[in-house]
Amino acid sequence: MRPTNTRNPDYFHTVVDCQWACPAHTPVPAYIRLIAQGRYSDAYMLNRRSNVFPGILGRVCDRPCEPACRRGRLEEEPVAICRLKRVAADHRGDITDQLPKKPKKTNGKRIALIGAGPASFTVANDLAPLGYECTIFEKLSEPGGLMRSNIPAFRLPEPVLSEELGYILDMGVELKLGHKVESMDALLEEGWDAVFVGTGAPRGKDLNLPGRWDTKDKDGAAGANIHIGIDWLESVAFEHTKKIGENVLIIGVGNTAMDCCRTSLRLGAKRVKVMARKPRAFFKASVWELEDAEEENIEIIVNHSPKSFVVKDGKLTGMVFELTEYEINENGKIISQKVTGETTIPCDDVILAIGQDNAFPWIEETSGIKLDKWQVPEVDEATFESTRKGVFFGGDAAFGPKNIIWAVEHGHQAAISIHKHCQGKMLGGRLPNEVEMLPTKMGMFEWRYSNSYDDAARRKMTHVELTKRFADLDVEVELGFTADQIATEVERCLNCDIQTVFEASLCEECDACIDICPVECLSMTPDAEDEAELRASLSASENIEGQALYVSDALPLTGRVMIKDEDVCLHCGLCAERCPTAAWDMKESLIQIHYADEQDGGQKREQGT
Amino acid sequence: MTSFVEPFIRRKNEPTNDLGLVRADYDGAMSTLCAGCGHDSVTATMARAFFELSIEPHKAVKVSGIGCSSKTTAYFLRESHGINTVHGRMPSVATGAIAANHELAYIGVSGDGDSLSIGLGQFVHAMRRNVNMLYMLENNGVYGLTKGQFSAAADIGSTAKKGAVNELPPIDPVSLALSVGATFVARGFSGDRDQLLPLIKAGLKHKGFGLIDVISPCVRFNDHKGSTKSYAHAYKYYNPAIHADYVPPSTQIKAAYEAGEVMPVKLHDGGEIRLRKLENGYDPRDRAAAIGKLFESGQSSEIITGLLYINEDHKDMHDMARMEDRPLNQIPYSELNPGAAKLKELQKGFR
Ligand SMILES: Cc1cc2nc3c(=O)[nH]c(=O)nc-3n(C[C@H](O)[C@H](O)[C@H](O)COP(=O)(O)OP(=O)(O)OC[C@H]3O[C@@H](n4cnc5c(N)ncnc54)[C@H](O)[C@@H]3O)c2cc1C
Ligand SMILES: Cc1ncc(C[n+]2csc(CCOP(=O)(O)OP(=O)(O)O)c2C)c(N)n1
Ligand code: SF4
Ligand code: SF4
Ligand code: SF4
Ligand SMILES: [Mg+2]
């Protein structure tokens, strides 16, 4: 088999599970080390480079990094990566002088950004300092997109949001609020050098069951007390809606449903039930969002499929559900379902939280931008360009609803494309990622990182007491980590970016590394044809998914190969410590990802910790 | 010497044995041997063998003498019984322990110095008595612990680290064992665990004295050019002639092998040793053939390894001496010590 090519920048990158899983590839272990050293501002700035909104994301990120975290393969819970990001933001000093600056003069290129959500803001963040004149058009009266209109303030306080948006506006970005773009054709007429569409996926799905339009409000308008989740949250955020009935049913069990139920409690609801069609294993909401809702005594009821609304004299009194039973096979898939009965649950209000659709009623066919039958635009997955040259999409508008961190990553990529487009360059010719390996050995038994394994369990975030948190809509529930919690949680990180690097020519096949490895991920075996054959010969290869085998060159004495199963390696450095010839070494892998400012003659930035 | 502590880490989804224990439950203290020492590799293999055989740690006994090799009993089976005896006296202490309780699994760990110089007499007599134990002789050709003097296992012409040449003929523990009646005689190499692990398992399950002479390089004092016990030398002249697999009674699958290719040997516990890769006509049950084969390979530099001789039919010490079957600690005190009157009566019979 061919030895592993560790020069491929993706190889070591995949070993850093969290960074690889993060859509914006935030260098997680590196910023955790900075926090451990008390360098909060540096940790914040390192975060900001990739994810732009550390304070926001440290609270509400969907955190795809955490389920990926190596720690979760060793014990039950991953490192609290997201909450440590918040630590960096909470404890940072004044970093304004380290932010990218408004340039002395612009380059004369005008970019229109439609929608003031995280996607457009990221594009502006990357382009404005390079001299581009960025103008953001937003139909609402405040910027932030769903982060402002839908994510409730008890999860994301307004000042945190405004401060991080402000950093970008200060780079000389123009923001036009209350300015809805009604026609793409008209906008294109205005002769922008590039247009970025970051309008999100703004249409909440409806549920047209019997009774849906039988309710009447006091003015006689149909559909009263039946709300569409994202519209309702927006109207709460902008204080148009200030109360709700005592008994509320939420239909759907995704993250929007969690925000709807918790917001209802804060507007005076007494009994809130979240109605799920399927069993718990099929819930869309993140585990932590479910936990937070249940902590507030929200009842989640499974196996109830909505059938009709019960309306008496134009007033909503309840909802009828079919009781559904599912047959589930050993792979956890539903193979059949049957209705076993019916039940009516009384309520005063119903909130529908069953998903969002894209909608571009303002994009004319004549614009040359192709949409498919679900109103999803045809967008290149690498360049984010639409079928019309110079028009780019990103965030929820590009491929349907995702989350903030994906919107940020789309923004970075679209910014690179716009930069190239404005210079008349090929959009595809982007700088590839690189990897740089830095030594970490300081002396005998001394490394530049905290290599010893700490078996502490994940720290639990303290929440505001239940009796206090419903007083106001904007009482932030999470209090942040204490100093003790920070000190413990940072040590839980395994430093997966400090890589075990092997030099076959030095090895004398003494087995010392194999014996010391506390998780048995090393072995020496005769070479094999392919990875499957190698895996079959390993004792420690319980792993099926995910991580690679690191295969060395042929060893000098026997021609066998050294193999490392990357799956459960603790990055503890004991192999390197123990090796009499330093054939194993621990090196920091710096994955260099190049943003718009480094492309096309831009200066490459110093990275690393 | 090392100055860090090996962490004991339990991780989820870790493989367990029939007792629900993980491999690390069979580890011991952190080794203080030189990094790269062959002995550490043997230690790890012994720990794995006990783990895979699902032997309860408290039902195992480790005995050793003095030397780097003998120190290693501290580095595995942290929850087992163990005795470090004085230099070269391990076989006698083990014999006594087994006489007192032969229901436990006994593993002796020694070196070429401990066994072939000061302890030679003890070593030979334990084999003669066919004491039911597995004896690991970790052979590096030197006294490692006292900084590298030639041991009685050093080959003629082999050089010491500073250049001195050995002129004394070596004692080969394997030939010695064959000549004095050991019933399980093998040679291994710390660098080949695939071969060593099943040998250790088979040796532990064999009834009677089992010797494994393990070539186990001393990285500090005998791993240089000119040494015949270095890693490089061992890898070069290593000949894994016979491979032995231990198949426990519970998992015996009906013969999935061709006659001639595999030679099965039934063990007392109902399990089986399967010998593979036999050279033409070689039968490890034939003592004379084994001695002949060794002599032949001794003419070249080849290091012939594997299970070279096995005899499962010979009585062990317990049977030969018609000893009490019950462990002494399970016999009521009144029976163990029937009192002065009974002693007098007994003595009368000898007058
Ligand atoms: C209830 C809810 C909770 C969520 N919670 C989380 C969470 O905790 N974590 C997470 O990561 N993600 C969460 N998300 C998803 C996340 O908010 C979105 O994925 C993200 O905001 C998408 O960013 P965007 O920039 O693509 O668009 P958006 O944030 O949707 O912003 C689009 C903006 O464009 C404006 N706009 C639309 N059309 C026009 C037009 N024609 N002219 C001018 N302006 C226009 C809109 O008013 C809006 O302000 C949540 C979503 C919802 C609905
Ligand atoms: C009675 C007695 N004599 C001498 C010594 C010194 N001594 C300690 S270890 C050793 C030799 C050990 O050699 P070996 O058994 O081969 O072990 P190794 O260190 O090579 O593994 C000697 C001679 C001693 N400890 N006790
Ligand atoms: S242990 Fe640290 S570096 Fe490794 S995946 Fe988890 S957070 Fe990332
Ligand atoms: S760093 Fe080395 S010793 Fe530690 S877990 Fe990884 S391979 Fe094993
Ligand atoms: S400890 Fe070093 S020399 Fe020994 S086998 Fe491992 S890598 Fe090779
Ligand atoms: Mg020795």
Side-chain angles (χ1 to χ4, degrees):
Chain A
M1 197 181 154
R2 291 179 61 173
T4 303
N5 176 12
T6 55
R7 266 185 233 143
N8 170 358
D10 283 353
Y11 183 75
F12 284 132
H13 195 171
T14 55
V15 173
V16 195
D17 297 273
C18 47
Q19 187 176 7
W20 183 251
C22 174
H25 301 311
T26 303
V28 174
Y31 83 67
I32 293 182
R33 280 195 296 278
L34 289 172
I35 293 171
Q37 294 164 26
R39 292 166 62 188
Y40 301 110
S41 298
D42 292 339
Y44 181 86
M45 289 310 294
L46 187 64
N47 261 289
R48 194 181 183 284
R49 179 78 179 146
S50 52
N51 60 51
V52 187
F53 306 107
I56 295 170
L57 289 165
R59 291 171 166 83
V60 301
C61 186
D62 249 359
R63 22 177 162 149
C65 53
E66 291 194 13
C69 172
R70 180 174 298 271
R71 187 93 188 185
R73 295 201 288 277
L74 290 156
E75 50 157 289
E76 294 315 315
E77 298 241 51
V79 174
I81 299 172
C82 183
R83 293 310 178 256
L84 286 173
K85 200 186 307 299
R86 170 172 171 185
V87 165
D90 284 355
H91 298 278
R92 73 188 190 271
D94 182 1
I95 46 84
T96 41
D97 60 342
Q98 296 176 57
L99 293 169
K101 305 256 156 6
K102 174 177 177 171
K104 292 225 168 57
K105 64 181 205 299
T106 67
N107 63 9
K109 304 277 184 200
R110 295 165 55 248
I111 318 294
L113 306 156
I114 315 172
S120 293
F121 264 89
T122 301
V123 177
N125 176 70
D126 287 6
L127 292 182
L130 302 184
Y132 290 91
E133 295 170 17
C134 298
T135 307
I136 302 180
F137 298 100
E138 168 57 53
K139 71 173 181 209
L140 298 175
S141 57
E142 299 276 355
L146 290 176
M147 301 192 296
R148 166 103 45 188
S149 65
N150 264 239
I151 299 182
F154 59 82
R155 288 206 292 127
L156 176 56
E158 192 277 337
V160 174
L161 175 63
S162 294
E163 184 169 29
E164 288 188 334
L165 296 177
Y167 290 159
I168 298 169
L169 295 175
D170 289 346
M171 295 171 195
V173 174
E174 192 177 350
L175 177 64
K176 295 208 158 152
L177 293 172
H179 188 122
K180 182 171 182 182
V181 174
E182 305 277 5
S183 156
M184 180 58 103
D185 279 345
L187 186 86
L188 290 171
E189 286 285 296
E190 296 169 17
W192 299 89
D193 290 289
V195 173
F196 177 79
V197 182
T199 50
R203 186 175 289 165
K205 289 197 171 114
D206 208 330
L207 194 58
N208 279 313
L209 295 175
R212 170 69 179 90
W213 302 106
D214 297 350
T215 57
K216 300 273 178 300
D217 69 6
K218 58 183 189 309
D219 307 320
N225 299 89
I226 301 172
H227 318 278
I228 296 211
I230 66 166
D231 299 340
W232 181 75
L233 285 169
E234 180 180 314
S235 103
V236 173
F238 289 100
E239 296 177 20
H240 304 311
T241 296
K242 293 192 174 124
K243 57 181 199 301
I244 196 159
E246 288 201 350
N247 298 301
V248 179
L249 299 183
I250 315 286
I251 310 298
V253 66
N255 287 340
T256 303
M258 296 302 108
D259 283 339
C260 290
C261 66
R262 297 178 71 192
T263 301
S264 300
L265 287 179
R266 286 155 175 82
L267 294 193
K270 292 281 180 292
R271 284 159 297 274
V272 183
K273 295 186 170 70
V274 173
M275 309 300 298
R277 268 190 326 120
K278 292 182 186 168
R280 200 167 177 111
F282 298 88
F283 289 4
K284 287 222 177 81
S286 320
V287 195
W288 51 88
E289 299 229 19
L290 288 164
E291 277 169 12
D292 290 349
E294 288 183 321
E295 178 183 303
E296 298 183 355
N297 297 318
I298 299 285
E299 205 181 333
I300 301 179
I301 299 181
V302 298
N303 300 346
H304 279 56
S305 303
K307 190 174 180 212
S308 61
F309 296 90
V310 185
V311 181
K312 275 207 188 87
D313 307 326
K315 193 174 161 332
L316 181 70
T317 63
M319 238 187 130
V320 182
F321 293 87
E322 288 180 344
L323 304 173
T324 316
E325 257 176 29
Y326 298 89
E327 199 187 328
I328 295 168
N329 70 11
E330 63 273 20
N331 302 327
K333 284 232 165 67
I334 293 179
I335 44 178
S336 73
Q337 63 182 74
K338 65 171 191 279
V339 175
T340 58
E342 231 179 68
T343 182
T344 303
I345 299 184
C347 66
D348 305 314
D349 284 89
V350 167
I351 303 177
L352 303 173
I354 52 176
Q356 284 156 261
D357 285 327
N358 284 43
F360 298 102
W362 52 277
I363 297 186
E364 300 86 350
E365 256 177 64
T366 44
S367 67
I369 297 167
K370 274 202 206 122
L371 305 175
D372 70 11
K373 64 178 170 209
W374 297 281
Q375 288 274 299
V376 179
E378 234 177 75
V379 174
D380 185 288
E381 285 181 24
T383 65
F384 293 83
E385 196 172 34
S386 69
T387 49
R388 180 180 169 119
K389 228 172 141 3
V391 177
F392 302 85
F393 283 70
D396 290 356
F399 308 115
K402 286 196 165 158
N403 53 34
I404 301 168
I405 190 69
W406 269 114
V408 168
E409 176 58 12
H410 292 178
H412 283 313
Q413 294 308 324
I416 295 174
S417 296
I418 293 170
H419 185 38
K420 290 191 175 290
H421 170 80
C422 291
Q423 296 175 85
K425 296 220 163 103
M426 301 268 293
L427 301 190
R430 306 157 107 86
L431 282 181
N433 289 354
E434 289 162 279
V435 59
E436 192 186 336
M437 304 300 291
L438 306 176
T440 64
K441 193 157 179 73
M442 306 275 284
M444 283 279 274
F445 312 118
E446 225 190 320
W447 302 90
R448 192 162 55 73
Y449 69 108
S450 166
N451 65 317
S452 60
Y453 179 77
D454 188 326
D455 66 1
R458 182 182 169 109
R459 301 294 97 179
K460 210 173 156 8
M461 175 67 67
T462 324
H463 290 175
V464 173
E465 286 168 54
L466 278 177
T467 48
K468 301 206 174 123
R469 70 170 79 150
F470 302 115
D472 232 319
L473 253 174
D474 54 8
V475 177
E476 186 174 15
V477 171
E478 296 193 351
L479 293 173
F481 274 151
T482 62
D484 279 348
Q485 286 177 316
I486 298 170
T488 307
E489 195 62 37
V490 290
E491 287 299 324
R492 295 186 71 239
C493 173
L494 297 170
N495 299 285
C496 301
D497 63 338
I498 312 285
Q499 309 280 355
T500 54
V501 179
F502 187 70
E503 176 47 57
S505 66
L506 294 176
C507 175
E508 65 161 2
E509 305 184 39
C510 70
D511 283 359
C513 53
I514 296 178
D515 295 336
I516 196 70
C517 176
V519 289
E520 302 185 352
C521 48
L522 304 178
S523 28
M524 281 187 284
T525 64
D527 200 358
E529 277 305 308
D530 54 27
E531 187 168 318
E533 207 179 303
L534 275 184
R535 279 189 190 277
S537 68
L538 294 186
S539 50
S541 74
E542 319 117 49
N543 122 37
I544 327 131
E545 1 120 32
Q547 292 256 323
L549 291 183
Y550 178 175
V551 184
S552 77
D553 287 317
L555 299 175
L557 293 180
T558 61
R560 292 183 295 173
V561 287
M562 174 72 80
I563 299 181
K564 181 185 163 212
D565 185 344
E566 299 280 13
D567 191 47
V568 289
C569 170
L570 303 171
H571 297 250
C572 64
L574 292 186
C575 49
E577 200 82 86
R578 197 76 178 132
C579 177
T581 65
W584 280 113
D585 192 9
M586 304 303 296
K587 289 205 166 127
E588 180 179 359
S589 62
L590 262 180
I591 313 298
Q592 290 165 329
I593 297 169
H594 307 292
Y595 299 94
D597 57 355
E598 288 167 284
Q599 310 274 333
D600 302 315
Q603 281 279 309
K604 280 204 191 163
R605 308 233 317 189
E606 282 289 314
Q607 296 182 14
T609 53
Chain B
M1 280 283 285
T2 34
S3 71
F4 60 88
V5 181
E6 186 180 1
F8 177 49
I9 294 164
R10 284 214 82 140
R11 69 197 136 100
K12 66 180 191 191
N13 309 327
E14 208 172 348
T16 53
N17 65 9
D18 296 344
L19 304 169
L21 298 178
V22 300
R23 230 280 301 121
D25 288 326
Y26 289 79
D27 279 342
M30 171 75 193
S31 168
T32 57
L33 303 187
C34 310
C37 177
H39 300 346
D40 280 333
S41 187
V42 181
T43 304
T45 316
M46 292 190 286
R48 178 166 283 283
F50 278 89
F51 163 71
E52 288 186 4
L53 289 173
S54 294
I55 293 172
E56 291 163 275
H58 67 278
K59 295 214 170 132
V61 184
K62 309 166 287 181
V63 275
S64 67
I66 300 290
C68 298
S69 35
S70 297
K71 280 173 73 177
T72 63
T73 46
Y75 311 144
F76 70 112
L77 294 186
R78 69 166 82 73
E79 286 170 53
S80 298
H81 310 276
I83 316 169
N84 274 108
T85 72
V86 285
H87 203 14
R89 270 43 180 166
M90 176 264 274
S92 317
V93 175
T95 305
I98 294 169
N101 185 347
H102 75 140
E103 286 185 349
L104 307 176
Y106 287 84
I107 188 155
V109 182
S110 178
D112 44 332
D114 194 59
S115 294
L116 304 179
S117 294
I118 193 169
L120 188 68
Q122 305 241 329
F123 174 51
V124 169
H125 284 286
M127 294 196 279
R128 241 187 99 236
R129 289 194 175 102
N130 204 22
V131 174
N132 187 12
M133 70 184 294
L134 175 63
Y135 195 106
M136 303 291 294
L137 197 160
E138 300 180 354
N139 191 339
N140 52 17
V142 287
Y143 298 167
L145 192 69
T146 51
K147 300 192 173 230
Q149 301 85 349
F150 287 124
S151 78
D155 293 309
I156 295 178
S158 187
T159 60
K161 203 171 179 181
K162 290 201 171 148
V165 180
N166 176 50
E167 292 177 29
L168 290 174
I171 299 175
D172 171 20
V174 169
S175 320
L176 187 63
L178 285 168
S179 71
V180 298
T183 49
F184 177 108
V185 182
R187 182 176 285 138
F189 169 36
S190 64
D192 184 355
R193 293 172 185 221
D194 289 345
Q195 182 194 50
L196 189 57
L197 176 67
L199 273 181
I200 295 174
K201 285 160 81 174
L204 283 168
K205 289 295 173 182
H206 164 72
K207 190 169 178 219
F209 193 94
L211 169 72
I212 307 181
D213 173 35
V214 194
I215 308 300
S216 173
C218 170
V219 269
R220 183 72 91 232
F221 300 110
N222 206 11
D223 195 27
H224 47 270
K225 223 175 163 172
S227 157
T228 59
K229 293 277 193 297
S230 64
Y231 278 108
H233 187 93
Y235 276 118
K236 184 161 175 203
Y237 292 104
Y238 176 62
N239 172 11
I242 302 132
H243 187 90
D245 277 324
Y246 169 72
V247 186
S250 54
T251 60
Q252 282 199 36
I253 7 157
K254 289 277 165 279
Y257 48 80
E258 307 253 318
E261 185 184 308
V262 169
M263 193 177 285
V265 180
K266 273 267 169 235
L267 295 183
H268 274 81
D269 75 337
E272 190 172 278
I273 294 176
R274 291 182 188 165
L275 300 159
R276 279 191 286 123
K277 198 180 168 193
L278 307 164
E279 284 178 26
N280 260 349
Y282 183 72
D283 182 350
R285 292 168 302 190
D286 180 343
R287 192 155 71 134
I291 294 173
K293 180 81 194 164
L294 268 173
F295 185 76
E296 217 177 276
S297 72
Q299 303 300 101
S300 63
S301 302
E302 184 184 87
I303 306 168
I304 177 164
T305 62
L307 180 50
L308 301 166
Y309 176 66
I310 179 160
N311 178 352
E312 191 66 12
D313 302 326
H314 205 292
K315 283 181 181 168
D316 74 346
M317 172 180 79
H318 234 74
D319 291 341
M320 282 192 279
R322 291 183 300 282
M323 286 166 136
E324 170 61 46
D325 207 39
R326 287 171 298 169
L328 298 191
N329 63 4
Q330 287 170 28
I331 298 174
Y333 185 71
S334 57
E335 209 180 310
L336 259 185
N337 182 358
K342 285 259 178 200
L343 178 65
K344 272 217 171 99
E345 217 173 286
L346 179 79
Q347 283 171 329
K348 258 192 229 158
F350 293 111
R351 288 209 176 102

